[in-house]
Amino acid sequence: MKLGIKKYPDPVLREKCSKIKEVDQKIKDLADNMIETMQKADGIGLAGPQVGVSKQIFVTGVDKPKVFINPKITKRIGSNVLEEGCLSLPGLQFRIERANKIKVEALNKEGEKFELEAEGLFAACIQHEFDHLKGTLIIDYKD
Ligand code: ZN
């Protein structure tokens, strides 16, 4: 099911997201719907607040779709500047410096813990979506 995407300045985009206590069927459905919504919008990432859910979940679609629940970035190495847009801020793009390589820990859609290393665009995408869970948006990087 395609979900509505919240646009700036919707206040939900500024909320700090709470941890997901249990990965139940509702969360699995939410993850599936978020992936569908991201793909239909031609995005490469979508975070909970962007669909009005103030919970620590985001999905990415850089390679194949991936779900991150209660994510933690445990390592950041180097730096890389990429032009980024956001489905909640249509038409805006900013050059943003982020870590080039990261290590992430999270739960998948089945509630199982996983760890991965990402680089370049995938790393930027994860850091962008991770920002959403803290209420941080790309406009906050503008000097
Ligand atoms: Zn975004």
Side-chain angles (χ1 to χ4, degrees):
M1 190 182 76
K2 193 176 163 236
L3 306 166
I5 296 178
K6 304 286 181 192
K7 305 274 159 57
Y8 179 80
D10 193 309
V12 73
L13 295 170
R14 289 306 197 181
E15 277 172 31
K16 273 212 170 101
C17 294
S18 56
K19 259 198 164 163
I20 290 172
K21 290 190 191 100
E22 196 197 337
V23 183
D24 55 15
Q25 194 56 45
K26 264 173 86 175
I27 295 295
K28 284 179 199 176
D29 291 344
L30 172 68
D32 288 340
N33 290 336
M34 285 174 69
I35 287 171
E36 189 181 334
T37 305
M38 169 185 73
Q39 289 173 332
K40 286 201 169 135
D42 279 327
I44 56 167
L46 188 69
Q50 294 184 278
V51 292
V53 179
S54 207
K55 291 195 163 109
Q56 293 183 20
I57 179 170
F58 64 76
V59 297
T60 60
V62 170
D63 191 6
K64 50 184 181 204
K66 212 159 177 47
V67 178
F68 296 77
I69 294 167
N70 300 340
K72 259 189 263 169
I73 296 178
T74 56
K75 217 176 230 178
R76 300 173 191 257
I77 305 161
S79 75
N80 188 25
V81 179
L82 287 174
E83 188 123 319
E84 293 182 25
C86 180
L87 293 174
S88 295
L89 294 142
L92 289 180
Q93 288 208 311
F94 296 106
R95 288 172 61 78
I96 297 176
E97 183 176 359
R98 300 190 188 272
N100 183 45
K101 254 189 182 175
I102 56 168
K103 210 176 208 181
V104 194
E105 270 177 30
L107 301 178
N108 66 15
K109 213 177 74 175
E110 310 306 321
E112 301 154 350
K113 198 172 166 181
F114 70 93
E115 190 176 50
L116 67 77
E117 284 182 355
E119 200 175 345
L121 177 65
F122 189 28
C125 177
I126 291 170
Q127 289 170 87
H128 175 125
E129 300 313 327
F130 187 75
D131 273 356
H132 273 298
L133 306 184
K134 298 174 294 171
T136 302
L137 299 169
I138 52 174
I139 42 173
D140 302 331
Y141 288 87
K142 209 168 67 168
D143 7 273

